[in-house]
Amino acid sequence: MAGGILQIDLDAVARNWRALDRMSDPCVQTGAVVKADAYGLGAARVARTLAHAGARRFFVAIAEEGAALRAALGEGPEISVFSGHMEGDMALIRDSALTPMLNSPEQIARHLESLPDHPFGIQLDTGMNRLGIEAPDWASVCSRVLENGPILVMSHLACADEPDHPMNAAQLAQFRAMTDGAGVPRSLSATGGILLGPEYHFDVTRPGIGLYGALPFAEAEPVVRLSLPVVQVRDLAPGETVGYGCSFTAEGPARIATVSGGYADGLLRALSGRATLFAGDRPCPIAGRVSMDLITVDVTHLSEAPATLDILCPAQGVDRLADAAGTIGYEILTSLGPRYARRHAGGAA
Ligand SMILES: *Cc1c(COP(=O)(O)O)cnc(C)c1O
């Protein structure tokens, strides 16, 4: 078996959720964002674990994810859909009891016409210019919408991972201006916003990345370990080269381990010659280019070639690997491919 093994510590996910939950007042509800298959870690297992830990509100990006999540969670928890009510979503929203976060006057009309008694929320744009109803449109539809009893009014911060960015206060002020006095539960903050402090918390928070052990939640517990089996080991004479483009040359006698895993598995080609794998706590640098299915690693300094090398482990978390690839932890996690055997430990079945 040559596939990599992705270990996912569900108890750590639950502890991260509780830690984020403790950062807001007890009357603030802490939700959980499990879009993109819980950032690549398995939405069904993660969501059942968090429901067991006390989460009652889950968020996904599209209705199809919501339907799969409803099948995993059963009746009860609220499942909200950020993309709102798209054409063709009516049956999914109705049959899976999803709550669309309506993003435009057009979506509001579609929802109230096709499912007049079905719960919905509203997403407002407070400056990010990505999703949500803009202030002038909100002013004209607000009273009609509020008569229909939205269960949540939300917006999203563009720069919450930069606490000093003036956009945070600007969006907070805009959110207040658009929602003060509406008498509807409100939500503004994802992981970054929770860390900005109580004025950003409102009634419901929506952490994603912090649950999965990455920045901006610096105190998060690591959740994943990724171990790649060594398929072959070879000794090189000085001057021999390794891999596509011959980008690594052995300066002296060298030993190269070839591990199973490559850019088709989310180990980005940008890691070529830059990232490190680990034999326990001993760093072993990548030698040459990451290819589709394989990575070549310099293990010259090890007394024995190991059976596996880790690319995500306590010595190298998601954010450190992201740095090496010039990206963010979110992209590392959501790129983790389908070829890994996902082994969930702890949590709820
Ligand atoms: C993805 C997302 C979240 C979660 O963000 P994190 O930074 O992962 O905590 C919350 N709200 C919205 C609207 C999102 O798109």
Side-chain angles (χ1 to χ4, degrees):
M1 292 220 301
I5 296 189
L6 181 62
Q7 284 175 264
I8 297 151
D9 183 346
L10 293 170
D11 291 333
V13 175
R15 285 192 292 272
N16 287 333
W17 183 82
R18 285 194 200 96
L20 288 162
D21 184 48
R22 281 194 299 272
M23 286 182 188
S24 56
D25 193 88
C27 66
V28 176
Q29 232 185 17
T30 302
V33 177
V34 295
K35 61 191 179 187
D37 201 24
Y39 294 38
L41 303 185
R45 296 294 303 268
V46 163
R48 282 200 292 260
T49 297
L50 293 176
H52 193 72
R56 288 291 165 268
R57 278 180 187 266
F58 295 86
F59 295 88
V60 293
I62 64 174
E64 288 79 356
E65 293 179 319
L69 188 63
R70 177 62 73 203
L73 284 175
E75 281 175 34
E78 191 80 48
I79 299 175
S80 297
V81 180
F82 291 141
S83 59
H85 189 146
M86 298 286 285
E87 208 171 327
D89 280 352
M90 191 271 279
L92 276 182
I93 289 171
R94 181 194 57 205
D95 298 346
S96 296
L98 308 178
T99 308
M101 295 288 130
L102 307 176
N103 287 299
S104 63
E106 190 192 3
Q107 286 201 349
I108 292 169
R110 178 181 297 133
H111 185 76
L112 294 179
E113 275 159 32
S114 63
L115 292 172
D117 298 318
H118 188 97
F120 68 95
I122 294 287
Q123 182 157 205
L124 300 174
D125 179 57
T126 52
M128 187 170 181
N129 285 309
R130 188 180 68 164
L131 269 187
I133 302 169
E134 307 225 348
D137 286 335
W138 180 234
S140 57
V141 298
C142 174
S143 57
R144 170 156 185 250
V145 166
L146 293 178
E147 273 168 31
N148 283 278
I151 64 148
L152 188 70
V153 180
M154 62 168 277
S155 187
H156 193 52
L157 297 168
C159 305
D161 58 342
E162 297 175 59
D164 299 328
H165 200 294
M167 188 66 167
N168 295 321
Q171 286 193 267
L172 176 62
Q174 176 70 355
F175 189 56
R176 284 204 167 285
M178 290 171 84
T179 61
D180 274 354
V184 178
R186 296 187 281 185
S187 176
L188 180 61
S189 286
T191 304
I194 295 174
L195 304 173
L196 292 178
E199 355 158 54
Y200 287 85
H201 295 167
F202 293 92
D203 303 292
V204 176
T205 58
R206 311 184 308 269
I209 194 75
L211 306 173
Y212 310 115
L215 289 173
F217 185 27
E219 288 80 42
E221 268 189 57
V223 167
V224 291
R225 176 190 284 270
L226 178 55
S227 305
L228 306 177
V230 173
V231 180
Q232 201 179 9
V233 179
R234 74 188 64 247
D235 292 313
L236 269 61
E240 284 196 88
T241 61
V242 177
Y244 285 124
C246 301
S247 66
F248 176 91
T249 304
E251 280 168 11
R255 175 167 274 197
I256 298 294
T258 302
V259 298
S260 175
Y263 59 75
D265 305 294
L267 301 172
L268 309 177
R269 193 167 170 278
L271 294 167
S272 300
R274 306 193 48 171
T276 303
L277 280 75
F278 287 82
D281 54 5
R282 304 199 64 188
C284 307
I286 291 183
R289 285 194 194 153
V290 172
S291 57
M292 188 185 295
D293 318 298
L294 298 164
I295 298 176
T296 38
V297 184
D298 187 347
V299 295
T300 310
H301 56 299
L302 301 184
S303 49
E304 231 177 293
T308 62
L309 286 163
D310 291 347
I311 190 159
L312 291 170
C313 55
Q316 175 167 265
V318 168
D319 294 301
R320 202 168 139 194
L321 189 64
D323 263 353
T327 183
I328 54 175
Y330 297 77
E331 192 178 25
I332 295 292
L333 285 175
T334 57
S335 301
L336 293 170
R339 285 198 285 201
Y340 302 126
R342 281 166 168 71
R343 301 224 173 121
H344 293 89

